[in-house]
């Protein structure tokens, strides 16, 4: 997983994807930024990414912690392993939690990859405790 610092390059790469959910569009990115929220751009690799998404940091005042909110993602159909490794890598980020609201068209292969990644993360967390 790579954190992209250049939003122009991010959206150039995003334009190569067949389907871009509105909540991942540049217009929505600009709207979220206009609210003063910190936005982070993610991709699985810098050259020819198979999955990319952006999320924003949300403060949870009651717990004095920060969570990362991701609303959808862009991915290539043939990228099952990339999806799994991408979401496993999100676990390494220093947030109290990650909220994923996937608003993509229902895709069985994507759901399986995502569930496998989450299961692996939960398994590792339970082993660490």
């Amino acid at each position: 997983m790579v954190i992209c610092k250049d939003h122009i390059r991010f959206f150039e790469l995003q334009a190569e994807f067949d389907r871009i959910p509105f909540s991942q569009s540049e217009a929505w990115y600009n709207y979220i930024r206009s609210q003063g929220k910190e936005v982070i751009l993610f991709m699985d690799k810098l050259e020819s990414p198979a999955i990319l998404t952006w999320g924003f940091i949300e403060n949870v005042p009651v717990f004095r912690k920060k969570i990362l909110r991701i609303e959808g993602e862009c991915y290539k159909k043939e990228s099952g392993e990339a999806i799994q490794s991408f979401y496993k890598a999100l676990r390494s980020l220093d947030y109290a939690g990650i909220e994923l609201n996937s608003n993509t068209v229902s895709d069985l292969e994507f759901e399986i990859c995502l569930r496998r990644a989450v299961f692996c993360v939960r398994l590792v967390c339970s082993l660490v405790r």
Side-chain angles (χ1 to χ4, degrees):
M1 180 189 61
V2 177
I3 295 176
C4 180
K5 302 289 183 189
D6 181 4
H7 75 279
I8 295 170
R9 177 71 178 137
F10 179 88
F11 289 109
E12 286 173 354
L13 289 168
Q14 187 188 62
E16 298 172 8
F17 285 74
D18 293 332
R19 185 174 179 285
I20 302 167
F22 183 74
S23 64
Q24 286 294 301
S25 68
E26 190 170 8
W28 196 248
Y29 167 85
N30 291 331
Y31 170 71
I32 295 295
R33 291 283 315 258
S34 74
Q35 293 181 333
K37 296 187 179 180
E38 180 184 353
V39 177
I40 304 175
L41 309 163
F42 302 100
M43 59 184 69
D44 63 332
K45 55 188 174 182
L46 290 173
E47 297 300 321
S48 301
I51 183 170
L52 49 83
T53 188
W54 58 265
F56 58 93
I57 308 301
E58 191 81 32
N59 289 314
V60 183
V62 175
F63 300 111
R64 295 187 182 123
K65 305 249 182 192
K66 294 181 180 184
I67 63 170
L68 173 65
R69 289 188 151 174
I70 298 175
E71 298 176 343
E73 57 278 302
C74 299
Y75 63 92
K76 295 183 179 169
K77 186 94 171 143
E78 67 280 354
S79 59
E81 288 181 25
I83 292 168
Q84 287 181 33
S85 62
F86 179 82
Y87 281 104
K88 286 178 188 176
L90 279 180
R91 179 184 171 274
S92 67
L93 299 176
D94 191 28
Y95 298 106
I98 298 172
E99 179 182 321
L100 174 64
N101 296 313
S102 184
N103 58 0
T104 57
V105 173
S106 182
D107 178 352
L108 183 59
E109 183 179 332
F110 177 79
E111 292 293 329
I112 290 170
C113 293
L114 188 59
R115 289 170 194 257
R116 285 181 179 161
V118 171
F119 174 76
C120 291
V121 169
R122 286 186 179 158
L123 179 62
V124 169
C125 289
S126 66
L127 292 175
V128 171
R129 291 182 196 161

